[in-house]
Amino acid sequence: MNIIASCSVSAVAEFFEVGLEVKNCPGCNEKPISLVGWCSGINSIKCICKSCGTALSANVTTWVVLLAIVVAMYAVAYTSVVHFDVQFKQDRLLIIGLTSIPVLAGSLLGYMIGGYKIKKVARK
């Protein structure tokens, strides 16, 4: 039992260490993009490292966070319209404000725990 427990604890520790290391650019180990840059457009999915110029693409953690943001936005909008009788046509600004909460929280979380991997270039 102790062998299994120690293996699972070390596996979890390794997972979190890798997750934190991948946040930096795998090419130069520097921060590849700022928070504002990450939140702007498609930069959360692919970018070029500002330090070394390496082409990077999102890792699995970043994709999971982005998917969670979309699901949370839908859940907030659905709940507000169906369960709290928010009228879509009359209360559009309220719905936009409510759905921006998971976007902002998820973007901050995604920037903190997400990361990049070196983009594989197709050979000709």
Side-chain angles (χ1 to χ4, degrees), residues 19-39:
L20 292 174
E21 286 177 12
V22 175
K23 181 180 179 219
N24 291 336
C25 174
C28 66
N29 204 25
E30 296 291 325
K31 190 187 311 187
I33 194 168
S34 67
L35 175 62
V36 174
W38 191 89
C39 294

Side-chain angles (χ1 to χ4, degrees), residues 30-90:
E30 296 291 325
K31 190 187 311 187
I33 194 168
S34 67
L35 175 62
V36 174
W38 191 89
C39 294
S40 302
I42 199 155
N43 292 332
S44 59
I45 298 172
K46 63 180 182 175
C47 76
I48 296 176
C49 178
K50 64 182 179 183
S51 298
C52 66
T54 304
L56 303 170
S57 63
N59 64 6
V60 174
T61 306
T62 303
W63 280 106
V64 169
V65 169
L66 292 173
L67 180 64
I69 290 171
V70 171
V71 169
M73 286 174 57
Y74 176 76
V76 166
Y78 177 81
T79 303
S80 62
V81 169
V82 172
H83 295 292
F84 294 107
D85 295 327
V86 174
Q87 300 298 319
F88 183 75
K89 289 186 177 183
Q90 297 169 351

